[in-house]
Amino acid sequence: NEGLKVKVIGNTDATAGEEYNQKLGMRRAESVKEHLVNIYGIDAGRLSTESRGEKEQFAKKIRSMNRRVDFEIQADE
């Protein structure tokens, strides 16, 4: 769907400090965006990035499950 816009959201576990995790989440999101653009040819203008760092923990006992990227479909304005 070439009209679709997607936000790529980087997440981390809570192992490091909040500031570090915020930056790590952004690097993670930017890396995935770069991959989607360079490997799959998706228009970079359709993708935005955000970091939520350690704010949205998915699993408390399995930290690696929090090291992830989520995709959020952006509503038409």
Side-chain angles (χ1 to χ4, degrees):
N1 184 343
E2 294 188 15
L4 192 67
K5 292 193 177 195
V6 176
K7 184 185 295 183
V8 182
I9 304 165
N11 297 276
T12 68
D13 62 23
T15 302
E18 186 175 340
E19 183 178 341
Y20 177 84
N21 285 335
Q22 195 65 22
K23 290 177 183 176
L24 176 60
M26 184 55 80
R27 286 195 311 269
R28 190 167 280 155
E30 290 289 339
S31 178
V32 169
K33 177 182 175 179
E34 182 179 320
H35 186 83
L36 292 171
V37 170
N38 293 334
I39 303 300
Y40 293 100
I42 296 173
D43 177 12
R46 295 177 43 214
L47 303 169
S48 61
T49 56
E50 176 182 310
S51 174
R52 295 200 180 140
E54 61 188 62
K55 295 176 187 165
E56 295 184 9
Q57 298 292 296
F58 184 73
K60 299 291 181 190
K61 294 185 180 184
I62 306 172
R63 289 184 300 171
S64 62
M65 291 181 70
N66 296 311
R67 300 172 189 160
R68 68 186 194 282
V69 171
D70 297 328
F71 297 92
E72 188 175 280
I73 306 303
Q74 301 296 288
D76 291 334
E77 296 180 12

